[in-house]
Amino acid sequence: MIQNDLFLKALKGETVERPPVWMMRQAGRYLPDFMKLKEKYDFFTRCRTPELATEITVMPIDQVGTDAAILFSDILVVPQAMNIEVEMKPGVGPWLPNPIRDRKALDQVVVPNVYEELGYVYDAIKMTKQELNNRVPLIGFAGSPWTIFCYCVQGQGSKNFDKAKEFCFTEPEMAHELLQKITDTTIAYLKGKVEAGVDAVQVFDSWGGMLSPSDYQEFSWQYMQQIIDALKAEIPVIAFGKGCWFALDVMAKSGASALGVDWTCSPRNARYLSGAKITLQGNFDPSRLFSPPKEIKRMVHQMIDEFGKDKYIVNLGHGILPNIPVDNAKAFVDAVKSY
């Protein structure tokens, strides 16, 4: 039995004394001990070495005190497994030297055997579960097919993913073929995570808000729905679409256990748009962690008041920023615990 099961209770919609709290990207770049490992090992070495991934995953549980752990990994291990080269370039971020923009490139993309290509992730899950020793639940995650597609076609991060969108609108058949390959791989990958022992999964649609509402349904949501359909009977699924408030009504009927909300949508609107029945997660502006701890506490309590303590998971509206003081991250978590 997991000792602290607040997170799992909230996913089931059960009544809790206080809402659970965790932070997207909590296993990472704002922690000094993480930075020490970063100096020694490059990014994908940290992802591919189960001992390192485990150490990084457990760090915030020990140092900040969140109610759930999220496995240290990256959404781009999926395209790597699909025969798409991905590098992490200092100062640039993700860099894909051979973007997928024509039939020849698309034909080289495979739906892999996830156990062969991504076995290191499953090893990290098993090791992390041992290390956590049932203290808190462990979350596994994947990028949404659309978000992965954005990187695969654009070749790097972007403010508007214009090349990815151009490909969708000029070559829709090929775009859907690539999206389906990513979806099939992601379903297999997440099912492997469930077998390895994660307690919940989150699908990150970081770039969903780049699409208009109708294009979102066509190029993103229908693939997210396939993933939820494939997994919801086995494990709670959290769907998070950044900038996708316009789809909360559809998402709420999807079978997902919870929906992530970013900071551009008020708690009241999020409850209203999602029909007030589903668990919501979010939505503190990550930049607000620069505020003084006293101010953080006041704002967190106000946020919980507005969402309501039940069917709610306290989180940020996107990943924690690298230059947030650890004490401020702690203040965020402690504010929830003192509610």
Side-chain angles (χ1 to χ4, degrees):
M1 280 295 292
I2 290 176
Q3 290 152 20
N4 174 352
D5 62 351
L6 272 179
F7 172 71
L8 299 176
K9 280 184 169 162
L11 285 175
K12 287 185 200 142
E14 293 175 10
T15 303
V16 289
E17 291 138 46
R18 66 162 174 91
V21 57
W22 68 281
M23 292 180 287
M24 291 185 270
R25 287 204 162 150
Q26 66 184 19
R29 53 210 182 153
Y30 68 106
L31 291 169
D33 288 350
F34 174 84
M35 298 314 283
K36 286 176 198 160
L37 291 176
K38 187 181 172 181
E39 282 162 26
K40 279 195 214 165
Y41 307 99
D42 75 74
F43 184 78
F44 284 114
T45 301
R46 280 172 274 146
C47 290
R48 289 193 191 114
T49 311
E51 291 79 1
L52 291 174
T54 298
E55 186 182 341
I56 294 166
T57 302
V58 177
M59 254 178 217
I61 306 307
D62 296 335
Q63 296 181 15
V64 186
T66 47
D67 294 312
I70 182 161
L71 188 76
F72 176 74
S73 185
D74 194 82
I75 63 171
L76 296 175
V77 300
V78 166
Q80 280 182 332
M82 297 173 71
N83 198 32
I84 300 168
E85 193 184 338
V86 182
E87 300 166 22
M88 262 313 157
K89 268 196 172 176
V92 178
W95 176 258
L96 292 76
N98 307 301
I100 314 299
R101 293 181 194 162
D102 56 32
R103 168 54 59 190
K104 189 177 169 225
L106 179 58
D107 286 344
Q108 289 174 346
V109 177
V110 300
V111 175
N113 176 331
V114 289
Y115 299 98
E116 282 173 18
E117 297 297 326
L118 294 161
Y120 60 87
V121 178
Y122 305 137
D123 292 343
I125 289 169
K126 289 169 191 160
M127 198 176 278
T128 301
K129 284 294 284 186
Q130 278 186 321
E131 191 64 33
L132 285 171
N133 195 18
N134 284 331
R135 283 184 289 161
V136 294
L138 178 63
I139 305 164
F141 70 91
S144 73
W146 163 252
T147 290
I148 302 290
F149 173 97
C150 279
Y151 287 108
C152 291
V153 179
Q154 193 81 20
Q156 63 186 107
S158 165
K159 282 195 167 61
N160 57 9
F161 287 99
D162 52 340
K163 293 184 174 75
K165 290 172 79 169
E166 180 188 343
F167 189 63
C168 287
F169 305 148
T170 57
E171 300 288 355
E173 271 184 31
M174 281 200 278
H176 283 298
E177 192 180 322
L178 179 54
L179 283 161
Q180 192 58 54
K181 282 183 175 182
I182 297 167
T183 303
D184 294 345
T185 304
T186 304
I187 288 169
Y189 175 52
L190 288 174
K191 287 198 163 197
K193 287 194 176 192
V194 176
E195 286 163 29
V198 297
D199 301 290
V201 295
Q202 175 157 318
V203 184
F204 283 86
D205 195 8
S206 304
W207 306 126
M210 298 282 169
L211 293 165
S212 72
S214 57
D215 288 332
Y216 185 72
Q217 294 303 320
E218 182 180 351
F219 293 101
S220 183
W221 184 255
Q222 63 162 320
Y223 297 102
M224 292 266 281
Q225 185 67 63
Q226 284 183 42
I227 295 169
I228 295 165
D229 288 343
L231 284 148
K232 66 184 181 188
E234 295 174 43
I235 198 157
V237 181
I238 304 169
F240 172 60
K242 185 169 182 291
C244 303
W245 60 269
F246 55 78
L248 283 172
D249 57 337
V250 178
M251 291 176 165
K253 301 180 185 93
S254 65
S257 293
L259 305 178
V261 184
D262 69 43
W263 67 92
T264 62
C265 185
S266 70
R268 189 176 163 202
N269 278 350
R271 284 284 180 214
Y272 172 73
L273 292 166
S274 63
K277 290 192 179 79
I278 193 166
T279 296
L280 296 178
Q281 173 179 282
N283 69 341
F284 203 74
D285 180 347
S287 301
R288 265 291 176 187
L289 291 180
F290 288 115
S291 297
K294 209 170 150 184
E295 184 75 355
I296 291 171
K297 181 177 180 178
R298 184 190 65 76
M299 292 174 77
V300 168
H301 284 193
Q302 185 184 338
M303 179 172 77
I304 299 171
D305 286 340
E306 288 176 11
F307 273 106
K309 76 170 171 68
D310 292 325
K311 293 187 181 168
Y312 177 46
I313 297 161
V314 180
N315 205 318
L316 305 174
H318 203 226
I320 188 166
L321 300 164
N323 42 351
I324 295 291
V326 178
D327 284 346
N328 291 31
K330 271 194 191 135
F332 176 76
V333 171
D334 292 345
V336 183
K337 292 184 173 178
S338 70
Y339 183 77

